Amino acid sequence: MTEIQLKDKKFELFIPEKVIIKEIKRVAKDITHDMKEKKPLFICVLNGAFIFASDLIKRINIPCEIDFIRLKSYQGTQSSGSIKEVQGFVTKIENRHVVIIEDIIDTGHTISYLKNKLNGENSASVKTACLLFKPNALETGVKPDYCALEIPNDFIVGYGLDYDGLGRNLRNIYKIKS
Ligand code: IMP
Ligand code: MG
């Protein structure tokens, strides 16, 4: 399937599953290497990061834990700028080495919000791992520590990412057709 339709918008195949998995394996190897002896606590940002988190964490070959936070910032194809915490995590993060797992860093507001929150709770360290990074859309200074793929400023769906709730189940990543 090279072209799909979700509601009023058409999308074309952009990154096939095979490429995504290859890059996730590289990130998992780097995190496994860097976090040895640190028993990292992964915080998966729902909803978008659930597939990435699953494919990433099963390739982390050291003791680790995972918890989840649910945030909302996007409406339609635009970042709304304001971040709503819909559901928080429960694990104590004091003195823990935390790795935030995010689907995509776009304006960077979501990741900045979360980094500030976690730094304020006396964690030992806070790193970020994202599946996708749009460097040209960044409005904050927060760059990811680990990143599977850098992409241009196009709106994309699939592999956990949605357009108005649809498209999260797609195995490949698709970009909007202009
Ligand atoms: P930021 O706060 O602008 O960096 O946006 C982060 C959140 O917006 C991500 O966690 C995604 O849920 C959502 N988002 C950003 N870009 C896209 C996109 O191209 N497609 C779908 N969701 C996106
Ligand atoms: Mg998200």
Side-chain angles (χ1 to χ4, degrees):
M1 242 193 321
T2 55
E3 194 183 290
I4 53 154
Q5 174 126 17
L6 298 172
K7 290 192 174 173
D8 57 324
K9 305 216 181 302
K10 284 195 168 72
F11 296 83
E12 62 193 357
L13 182 61
F14 182 39
I15 309 169
E17 185 182 25
K18 231 174 135 177
V19 175
I20 302 169
I21 298 295
K22 181 174 164 255
E23 297 306 320
I24 291 176
K25 282 182 181 166
R26 172 182 56 77
V27 169
K29 209 171 151 192
D30 288 350
I31 295 176
T32 298
H33 172 267
D34 295 351
M35 295 278 165
K36 249 181 212 134
E37 319 291 331
K38 292 188 172 167
K39 202 174 74 173
L41 169 64
F42 291 96
I43 304 239
C44 168
V45 184
L46 297 172
N47 294 343
F50 75 108
I51 298 180
F52 173 44
S54 156
D55 277 337
L56 178 71
I57 199 172
K58 65 192 177 196
R59 295 180 171 90
I60 302 286
N61 297 319
I62 49 171
C64 62
E65 291 176 54
I66 187 164
D67 202 341
F68 302 85
I69 187 168
R70 192 164 173 201
L71 303 176
K72 204 172 163 61
S73 75
Y74 240 64
Q75 258 161 3
T77 59
Q78 289 296 314
S79 185
S80 77
S82 73
I83 292 123
K84 241 201 262 164
E85 193 171 315
V86 186
Q87 195 185 310
F89 52 86
V90 292
T91 313
K92 278 215 172 63
I93 64 160
E94 209 177 338
N95 300 321
R96 297 297 305 268
H97 293 276
V98 179
V99 182
I100 302 168
I101 304 183
E102 177 58 306
D103 54 358
I104 184 164
I105 298 180
D106 184 43
T107 64
H109 289 296
T110 306
I111 208 78
S112 293
Y113 166 89
L114 208 47
K115 267 197 112 166
N116 286 339
K117 180 184 162 84
L118 297 172
N119 277 324
E121 294 186 23
N122 291 326
S123 53
S125 67
V126 181
K127 303 264 187 219
T128 58
C130 68
L131 173 69
L132 300 153
F133 176 37
K134 293 180 185 170
N136 297 331
L138 199 65
E139 292 174 6
T140 66
V142 182
K143 288 193 179 146
D145 299 288
Y146 304 97
C147 172
L149 295 143
E150 285 196 10
I151 59 168
N153 266 2
D154 305 297
F155 184 75
I156 51 109
V157 293
Y159 199 82
L161 290 112
D162 72 305
Y163 168 51
D164 266 356
L166 296 174
R168 294 195 195 277
N169 54 316
L170 299 164
R171 328 173 64 99
N172 308 303
I173 291 172
Y174 295 79
K175 80 171 175 189
I176 200 158
K177 275 187 97 167
S178 43

